[in-house]
Amino acid sequence: MTANLSAVDTAKYVAAKRACDFVEDGMRLGLGTGSTAAWLVRCLGERVRQGLRITGVPTSSRTAELARRAGIRVTTLDEAGWLDLTIDGADEFDADLNLIKGGGGALLQEKIVATASDRMIVIADGTKEVATLGAFPLPVEVIPFGWQTTRSLIEETLAGLDVMGETVTLRMKDDDQPYVTDEGNRILDLHLGRIGNARRMASRLNQIPGVVENGLFIDICDLAVIGSGTGEVRVRDANAGTTATETIDVDRQDNVFADLKR
Ligand code: 5RP
């Protein structure tokens, strides 16, 4: 199975596996959403089978299901109260570890959970690293009521901000229906090309009636674990300003790969 693992999946796997080293017995852990976070859940499930005791707070119904299947004890954020650590993927991250998230549509729960954690670690393959945020369309969660008016207000707001593009599209599902979030909301994707001032953008968007949350994570992430297809990982600490490079052994007998065959 691992022989067939693509370079990008290897990168996601090694990032997730290295991030597991930050998880300690007894932790209350925020579990992200997306394909990289799915590797994390599989790796954590393997450690739980080996005796690790953790409680996971999933950031989506998809992750909740995956975590339960992996044997991880799952609870709600309200039940957990406060979390020791959240580990999640990202669509883009910059040198200060500011992020764009929400490509998987779970940005609202992801931001609430990450903000309710002592620390947040982002796990990603190297393609997510950018000099300036904004090439990836910025997801904004809006309530269904009057969403077209909300879109117009967003477009007006963008006209006064430092961006390269201003196109706003409603996210759709495969069957031509609007994508619906776990909260029953819609996602507008903002095709900006480049976001000159991400902090200003985040705060302006959240002032617009109908906007629930935007996918910019500013000053939330503490550490990035960046994987590559060769098994190399870079661990970047935003607070210390350090980056360490290591190589992860991709154990082809690891049960996380056996799980994929089921
Ligand atoms: C979901 C997210 C994901 O973390 C982001 O889209 C990255 O996903 P992937 O690991 O599949 O590339 O924000 O809302």
Side-chain angles (χ1 to χ4, degrees):
M1 176 70 201
T2 49
N4 299 328
L5 211 61
S6 67
V8 72
D9 268 330
T10 303
K12 290 175 182 184
Y13 163 69
V14 293
K17 190 168 164 73
R18 177 64 182 87
C20 278
D21 295 343
F22 294 94
V23 177
E24 294 167 16
D25 203 44
M27 272 189 168
R28 288 161 301 172
L29 200 64
L31 303 172
T33 294
S35 56
T36 319
W39 281 110
L40 172 83
V41 171
R42 290 185 199 109
C43 291
L44 284 172
E46 183 53 20
R47 285 197 50 199
V48 165
R49 284 194 282 275
Q50 293 163 1
L52 178 77
R53 287 162 305 169
I54 51 168
T55 304
V57 173
T59 51
S60 63
S61 48
R62 273 166 289 157
T63 298
E65 197 194 325
L66 199 62
R68 281 193 196 96
R69 273 198 275 129
I72 298 169
R73 182 175 173 263
V74 165
T75 189
T76 61
L77 182 59
D78 286 335
E79 183 95 357
W82 191 259
L83 306 178
D84 300 290
L85 174 65
T86 285
I87 306 177
D88 199 350
D91 299 301
E92 279 187 355
F93 64 92
D94 69 10
D96 297 322
L97 301 191
N98 291 321
L99 320 173
I100 287 184
K101 285 187 53 53
L107 66 109
L108 178 56
Q109 290 189 20
E110 288 172 338
K111 199 182 265 193
I112 294 170
V113 166
T115 305
S117 305
D118 284 341
R119 281 179 103 196
M120 181 198 185
I121 297 177
V122 76
I123 48 176
D125 63 85
T127 62
K128 308 289 183 68
E129 188 169 10
V130 296
T132 306
L133 298 173
F136 190 91
L138 175 64
V140 177
E141 182 155 344
V142 299
I143 64 163
F145 177 84
W147 70 267
Q148 298 190 58
T149 305
T150 306
R151 179 173 65 184
S152 301
L153 290 169
I154 290 174
E155 285 164 348
E156 267 175 40
T157 302
L158 291 180
L161 291 170
D162 180 8
V163 290
M164 255 164 52
E166 294 168 19
T167 307
V168 178
T169 54
L170 178 68
R171 189 176 300 181
M172 305 298 284
K173 279 198 320 194
D174 298 338
D175 51 1
D176 283 349
Q177 292 299 310
Y179 177 87
V180 178
T181 69
D182 275 352
E183 264 64 46
N185 294 319
R186 307 286 183 264
I187 300 271
L188 295 174
D189 288 306
L190 279 46
H191 302 260
L192 308 174
R194 173 185 170 280
I195 303 173
N197 187 334
R199 190 179 302 275
R200 184 150 181 255
M201 170 75 65
S203 105
R204 291 292 302 279
L205 286 172
N206 280 15
Q207 287 166 9
I208 298 171
V211 168
V212 182
E213 192 50 85
N214 71 83
L216 284 164
F217 283 45
I218 310 290
D219 295 338
I220 293 176
C221 180
D222 301 285
L223 200 92
V225 183
I226 308 147
S228 87
T230 61
E232 192 178 274
V233 289
R234 283 176 291 139
V235 179
R236 183 180 305 162
D237 187 324
N239 305 316
T242 55
T243 303
T245 304
E246 304 161 26
T247 302
I248 301 294
D249 180 33
V250 180
D251 176 2
R252 291 168 198 285
Q253 304 309 317
D254 195 321
N255 284 331
V256 294
F257 303 120
D259 286 352
L260 292 179
K261 286 193 261 186
R262 284 181 202 148

